[in-house]
Amino acid sequence: KQEVTQIPAALSVPEGENLVLNCSFTDSAIYNLQWFRQDPGKGLTSLLLIQSSQREQTSGRLNASLDKSSGRSTLYIAASQPGDSATYLCAVRMATDSWGKLQFGAGTQVVVTP
Amino acid sequence: EAQVTQNPRYLITVTGKKLTVTCSQNMNHEYMSWYRQDPGLGLRQIYYSMNVEVTDKGDVPEGYKVSRKEKRNFPLILESPSPNQTSLYFCASSFGIGKNTEAFFGQGTRLTVV
Protein backbone atom coordinates (compact mmCIF):
# COMPACT_ATOMS: atom_id res chain seq x y z
CA LYS A 1 0.00 0.00 0.00
CA GLN A 2 1.39 3.37 -1.03
CA GLU A 3 2.29 5.66 1.85
CA VAL A 4 3.26 9.28 1.34
CA THR A 5 5.08 11.13 4.11
CA GLN A 6 5.90 14.80 4.39
CA ILE A 7 8.52 16.04 6.80
CA PRO A 8 8.53 18.38 8.60
CA ALA A 9 4.86 18.76 9.50
CA ALA A 10 5.41 22.45 10.19
CA LEU A 11 8.09 24.97 9.37
CA SER A 12 8.64 28.60 10.29
CA VAL A 13 11.27 30.71 8.54
CA PRO A 14 12.10 34.42 8.33
CA GLU A 15 11.39 36.19 5.09
CA GLY A 16 14.12 35.78 2.52
CA GLU A 17 15.23 32.32 3.57
CA ASN A 18 14.94 29.40 1.18
CA LEU A 19 12.34 26.77 1.95
CA VAL A 20 12.99 23.05 1.59
CA LEU A 21 10.01 20.72 1.81
CA ASN A 22 10.33 16.96 1.66
CA CYS A 23 8.02 14.25 0.37
CA SER A 24 8.70 10.52 0.43
CA PHE A 25 6.68 7.61 -0.95
CA THR A 26 6.99 3.87 -0.52
CA ASP A 27 5.90 2.53 -3.94
CA SER A 28 7.84 3.77 -6.95
CA ALA A 29 5.11 2.64 -9.39
CA ILE A 30 3.80 6.13 -10.00
CA TYR A 31 2.80 8.12 -13.07
CA ASN A 32 3.77 11.45 -11.60
CA LEU A 33 4.10 13.55 -8.47
CA GLN A 34 2.31 16.84 -8.00
CA TRP A 35 2.90 19.61 -5.47
CA PHE A 36 -0.05 21.69 -4.26
CA ARG A 37 -0.53 24.71 -2.11
CA GLN A 38 -3.54 25.04 0.21
CA ASP A 39 -4.51 28.20 2.03
CA PRO A 40 -6.66 27.81 5.17
CA GLY A 41 -10.13 26.60 4.28
CA LYS A 42 -9.44 26.94 0.60
CA GLY A 43 -8.92 24.71 -2.38
CA LEU A 44 -5.76 23.11 -3.70
CA THR A 45 -3.68 25.09 -6.14
CA SER A 46 -1.37 23.08 -8.36
CA LEU A 47 2.24 24.28 -8.19
CA LEU A 48 4.29 21.76 -10.14
CA LEU A 49 3.84 18.41 -11.84
CA ILE A 50 6.82 16.09 -12.27
CA GLN A 51 6.36 13.14 -14.55
CA SER A 52 7.84 9.82 -13.41
CA SER A 53 10.52 10.02 -16.11
CA GLN A 54 11.62 13.53 -15.10
CA ARG A 55 14.17 14.60 -12.50
CA GLU A 56 12.99 18.14 -11.83
CA GLN A 57 10.61 20.92 -12.74
CA THR A 58 10.92 24.64 -12.25
CA SER A 59 8.44 27.48 -12.14
CA GLY A 60 9.63 30.89 -11.04
CA ARG A 61 10.97 30.65 -7.49
CA LEU A 62 9.83 27.04 -7.22
CA ASN A 63 11.91 24.01 -8.08
CA ALA A 64 10.87 20.43 -7.47
CA SER A 65 13.07 17.36 -7.81
CA LEU A 66 12.10 13.72 -8.07
CA ASP A 67 14.17 10.62 -7.31
CA LYS A 68 11.74 7.84 -8.11
CA SER A 69 14.12 5.01 -7.25
CA SER A 70 14.57 6.26 -3.70
CA GLY A 71 10.97 7.44 -3.38
CA ARG A 72 11.71 11.09 -2.68
CA SER A 73 10.76 14.51 -3.91
CA THR A 74 11.87 17.90 -2.65
CA LEU A 75 10.21 21.26 -3.21
CA TYR A 76 12.50 24.27 -3.00
CA ILE A 77 11.08 27.76 -2.68
CA ALA A 78 13.71 30.45 -3.11
CA ALA A 79 13.73 33.73 -1.22
CA SER A 80 10.55 33.07 0.75
CA GLN A 81 7.93 35.77 1.23
CA PRO A 82 5.10 36.12 3.77
CA GLY A 83 2.70 35.33 0.94
CA ASP A 84 4.25 31.86 0.72
CA SER A 85 2.66 31.00 4.08
CA ALA A 86 0.35 28.06 3.43
CA THR A 87 0.17 24.29 3.68
CA TYR A 88 2.05 22.44 0.96
CA LEU A 89 0.88 19.01 -0.09
CA CYS A 90 2.50 16.44 -2.32
CA ALA A 91 0.54 13.73 -4.09
CA VAL A 92 1.61 10.77 -6.19
CA ARG A 93 -0.52 9.47 -9.05
CA MET A 94 -0.72 5.69 -8.62
CA ALA A 95 0.27 3.58 -11.61
CA THR A 96 -0.83 0.22 -10.25
CA ASP A 97 -4.43 -0.60 -9.33
CA SER A 98 -6.47 2.23 -7.80
CA TRP A 99 -6.91 3.57 -11.34
CA GLY A 100 -4.89 6.74 -11.14
CA LYS A 101 -5.77 7.67 -7.59
CA LEU A 102 -3.86 10.55 -6.05
CA GLN A 103 -2.29 9.50 -2.76
CA PHE A 104 -1.59 12.56 -0.63
CA GLY A 105 0.86 13.31 2.10
CA ALA A 106 -0.37 15.04 5.26
CA GLY A 107 1.25 18.31 4.27
CA THR A 108 3.82 20.75 5.60
CA GLN A 109 2.44 23.92 7.18
CA VAL A 110 4.73 26.83 6.34
CA VAL A 111 4.86 30.21 8.08
CA VAL A 112 7.10 32.92 6.67
CA THR A 113 7.59 35.75 9.14
CA PRO A 114 8.29 39.32 7.96
CA GLU B 1 -10.73 30.16 -17.66
CA ALA B 2 -10.06 26.48 -17.06
CA GLN B 3 -11.62 25.50 -13.78
CA VAL B 4 -13.43 23.01 -11.60
CA THR B 5 -16.49 24.51 -9.97
CA GLN B 6 -18.16 23.11 -6.88
CA ASN B 7 -21.41 24.20 -5.31
CA PRO B 8 -22.27 25.02 -2.67
CA ARG B 9 -19.10 26.24 -0.97
CA TYR B 10 -20.61 25.92 2.49
CA LEU B 11 -23.50 23.77 3.66
CA ILE B 12 -25.01 23.03 7.04
CA THR B 13 -27.64 20.31 7.08
CA VAL B 14 -29.40 17.95 9.44
CA THR B 15 -28.90 14.23 9.79
CA GLY B 16 -30.81 12.24 7.21
CA LYS B 17 -31.66 15.06 4.81
CA LYS B 18 -30.51 14.12 1.33
CA LEU B 19 -28.12 16.53 -0.35
CA THR B 20 -26.13 16.88 -3.54
CA VAL B 21 -22.85 18.66 -4.06
CA THR B 22 -22.32 19.58 -7.68
CA CYS B 23 -19.04 19.55 -9.56
CA SER B 24 -18.47 20.80 -13.07
CA GLN B 25 -15.31 21.15 -15.17
CA ASN B 26 -14.84 23.03 -18.43
CA MET B 27 -11.65 21.32 -19.63
CA ASN B 28 -13.20 18.28 -21.34
CA HIS B 29 -11.49 16.03 -18.82
CA GLU B 30 -12.32 12.35 -18.75
CA TYR B 31 -11.19 11.54 -15.22
CA MET B 32 -13.01 13.04 -12.26
CA SER B 33 -12.95 12.19 -8.58
CA TRP B 34 -14.13 13.23 -5.14
CA TYR B 35 -11.97 13.54 -2.04
CA ARG B 36 -12.69 14.40 1.54
CA GLN B 37 -10.21 16.11 3.82
CA ASP B 38 -10.25 15.57 7.57
CA PRO B 39 -7.78 16.73 10.23
CA GLY B 40 -5.24 14.02 10.96
CA LEU B 41 -6.46 11.86 8.07
CA GLY B 42 -5.53 14.02 5.11
CA LEU B 43 -7.23 13.71 1.73
CA ARG B 44 -8.94 10.44 0.91
CA GLN B 45 -10.62 9.44 -2.33
CA ILE B 46 -14.37 8.75 -2.16
CA TYR B 47 -15.30 7.89 -5.74
CA TYR B 48 -13.83 8.33 -9.17
CA SER B 49 -15.02 8.22 -12.76
CA MET B 50 -12.99 7.28 -15.81
CA ASN B 51 -15.62 8.56 -18.26
CA VAL B 52 -19.35 8.98 -18.77
CA GLU B 53 -21.27 6.18 -17.06
CA VAL B 54 -18.04 4.68 -15.64
CA THR B 55 -17.64 5.14 -11.90
CA ASP B 56 -15.99 3.18 -9.11
CA LYS B 57 -15.35 3.30 -5.39
CA GLY B 58 -12.34 4.91 -3.83
CA ASP B 59 -11.06 4.40 -0.31
CA VAL B 60 -14.04 5.73 1.65
CA PRO B 61 -17.23 5.29 -0.43
CA GLU B 62 -19.65 4.34 2.35
CA GLY B 63 -22.58 6.72 2.60
CA TYR B 64 -21.96 8.37 -0.78
CA LYS B 65 -23.23 7.98 -4.32
CA VAL B 66 -22.09 9.52 -7.57
CA SER B 67 -23.25 9.68 -11.15
CA ARG B 68 -21.61 10.66 -14.42
CA LYS B 69 -24.27 11.27 -17.02
CA GLU B 70 -22.34 14.02 -18.77
CA LYS B 71 -18.61 14.41 -19.21
CA ARG B 72 -18.42 17.78 -17.49
CA ASN B 73 -20.48 16.99 -14.37
CA PHE B 74 -19.83 14.66 -11.46
CA PRO B 75 -22.21 15.25 -8.55
CA LEU B 76 -21.69 13.76 -5.10
CA ILE B 77 -24.86 12.56 -3.41
CA LEU B 78 -25.35 11.94 0.28
CA GLU B 79 -28.64 10.04 0.57
CA SER B 80 -28.80 10.14 4.36
CA PRO B 81 -26.02 12.33 5.76
CA SER B 82 -24.63 11.59 9.20
CA PRO B 83 -22.41 13.71 11.48
CA ASN B 84 -19.32 11.63 10.57
CA GLN B 85 -19.66 13.00 7.03
CA THR B 86 -18.88 16.49 8.29
CA SER B 87 -15.80 17.31 6.27
CA LEU B 88 -14.20 19.44 3.57
CA TYR B 89 -14.95 17.96 0.15
CA PHE B 90 -13.00 18.44 -3.04
CA CYS B 91 -13.79 17.56 -6.61
CA ALA B 92 -10.86 17.00 -8.97
CA SER B 93 -10.46 16.41 -12.68
CA SER B 94 -7.69 15.53 -15.11
CA PHE B 95 -7.43 14.68 -18.77
CA GLY B 96 -6.58 11.09 -17.92
CA ILE B 97 -4.40 9.20 -15.48
CA GLY B 98 -1.09 9.06 -17.35
CA LYS B 99 2.23 10.60 -16.43
CA ASN B 100 1.58 14.03 -17.90
CA THR B 101 -1.88 14.47 -16.45
CA GLU B 102 -2.15 17.34 -14.04
CA ALA B 103 -5.00 17.25 -11.53
CA PHE B 104 -7.14 20.33 -11.03
CA PHE B 105 -9.18 20.83 -7.90
CA GLY B 106 -12.30 22.77 -7.08
CA GLN B 107 -12.45 25.32 -4.27
CA GLY B 108 -13.98 22.86 -1.85
CA THR B 109 -17.30 22.40 -0.09
CA ARG B 110 -17.36 22.60 3.67
CA LEU B 111 -20.18 20.37 4.88
CA THR B 112 -21.48 20.28 8.43
CA VAL B 113 -24.04 17.66 9.41
CA VAL B 114 -25.77 18.27 12.74
Side-chain angles (χ1 to χ4, degrees):
Chain A
K1 182 189 171 204
Q2 177 75 272
E3 291 186 7
V4 181
T5 304
Q6 291 188 247
I7 294 173
L11 186 59
S12 180
V13 299
E15 183 177 3
E17 265 198 23
N18 297 332
L19 283 164
V20 180
L21 308 178
N22 298 300
C23 173
S24 62
F25 49 95
T26 55
D27 187 346
S28 61
I30 64 170
Y31 283 126
N32 57 49
L33 185 145
Q34 198 166 350
W35 282 94
F36 295 89
R37 169 190 171 130
Q38 184 177 24
D39 294 286
K42 299 288 180 64
L44 278 69
T45 301
S46 179
L47 298 174
L48 288 168
L49 172 77
I50 312 177
Q51 298 179 30
S52 58
S53 56
Q54 296 176 324
R55 297 286 291 182
E56 67 177 330
Q57 278 286 349
T58 299
S59 175
R61 294 185 296 113
L62 276 59
N63 174 276
S65 66
L66 175 65
D67 184 342
K68 199 176 79 160
S69 61
S70 66
R72 288 188 294 189
S73 177
T74 302
L75 178 66
Y76 300 90
I77 303 177
S80 62
Q81 305 167 358
D84 293 328
S85 298
T87 296
Y88 292 82
L89 297 159
C90 68
V92 296
R93 174 88 73 175
M94 306 283 288
T96 54
D97 63 60
S98 302
W99 280 101
K101 180 180 76 173
L102 288 172
Q103 187 71 40
F104 282 85
T108 295
Q109 188 174 18
V110 171
V111 174
V112 180
T113 54
Chain B
E1 181 189 353
Q3 60 185 3
V4 179
T5 303
Q6 292 178 230
N7 280 297
R9 293 288 312 281
Y10 302 92
L11 180 60
I12 301 175
T13 190
V14 296
T15 299
K17 185 177 181 182
K18 180 179 178 180
L19 66 93
T20 299
V21 183
T22 64
C23 174
S24 180
Q25 49 90 8
N26 62 359
M27 296 168 278
N28 201 35
H29 284 169
E30 293 188 345
Y31 187 88
M32 297 185 74
S33 55
W34 277 100
Y35 291 82
R36 61 178 288 174
Q37 185 177 35
D38 302 289
L41 296 174
L43 280 127
R44 295 174 293 168
Q45 190 185 58
I46 304 170
Y47 267 95
Y48 64 91
S49 171
M50 295 294 291
N51 211 327
V52 175
E53 303 292 0
V54 181
T55 63
D56 207 348
K57 298 175 181 178
D59 294 326
V60 287
E62 294 78 21
Y64 304 95
K65 283 177 57 177
V66 294
S67 68
R68 188 93 181 271
K69 293 182 170 49
E70 305 166 283
K71 198 172 188 178
R72 63 184 292 130
N73 296 322
F74 190 45
L76 179 69
I77 303 157
L78 284 72
E79 296 265 355
S80 182
S82 62
N84 64 11
Q85 293 178 297
T86 292
S87 187
L88 181 57
Y89 291 87
F90 289 104
C91 178
S93 76
S94 59
F95 188 72
I97 60 171
K99 62 180 182 179
N100 64 346
T101 54
E102 184 178 7
F104 295 85
F105 279 74
Q107 285 300 100
T109 296
R110 185 165 292 281
L111 172 65
T112 302
V113 184
V114 298

